[in-house]
Amino acid sequence: MHQLDIFLDSREVTLANEVIAALLARDSESAAHGIARLRAEAPERSDLPCFDRLNDFLQLFQHADFSLLDADAIEVAVDVLATRIVPCARVLGRAGKDFLGFFWRRLAQAAGAPFDPERPQLHAAELYLRAEAYDRVEEAASAVAGHSRHPAVLRWRAIACHRRSGLRATRLPIFLFAWHAPASFVDLLGELDDSRLEKEWVAFQAEAEDLDASWFPAWLLLRHPAVLLDLHVSLAGRFDEHATAAEIPAMQACLLLVGILDLEKSGHSRRLVEQRARLRAIDQGFFALYMQSRDVCYR
């Protein structure tokens, strides 16, 4: 009896694997036949409804002309894919990513409309991000005109850069996001899922609890000046957006701090005193952290 059970279990697994193989090959006809055989063999399997839903979606979209979809149609397709198909794709195991990636890429290729700040989830960069096509994410995000500092665009660039090149290469995109979208910074940290960055964030919160996330870059430079080496360019040289910096005190302080750290290498000077006075005028709380660190360094 035990051997019979093993045989039946083995047949059931084989049938399920055949369904998965057909879905991954985007062969809806074979998948339908496979699902029918699996249902006849094991009608109580919990994954049968998901196999049905995945194949129904495959039949509907595998031969569709995505180029004919307008923004509203893409929005409907994105919603269905995200809310109904993505959860079901778990029955495909690790291969679910490839099954979903095909459709995300097709939708991204169809999303040719200009960036809409009210519906960033429909932009090609977001859809390529879901497909984990990170080179295409960067390409699409870089092509956005007039909204380079929109939180969605900054998020796309930060995640794509991090996935392709790691934390050191992503310092500048992370800084930009912190300055322009501090309220969403914790969400970005969750998406990046970088243990070193998370440790830095926890340390920042413990030490600078009265400052919001826009101050994280300045704090990081203060505590870890070597981070400047990760930026590959001078922050002061990278940003000539003086008006923007003036609107964001934390950005202004960070740019100023770059110069102060450089001045400190030459010892005490009148210029250093003047720049420290400017830093204090921007934010006394951050200035206090700065001076505390200097007391420790030079004690």
Side-chain angles (χ1 to χ4, degrees), residues 259-268 272 276 290 294 298:
I260 290 175
L261 294 176
D262 189 57
L263 286 171
E264 287 181 344
K265 297 175 184 177
S266 301
H268 192 75
L272 178 58
R276 284 177 170 177
Y290 164 77
R294 275 35 232 159
Y298 299 117

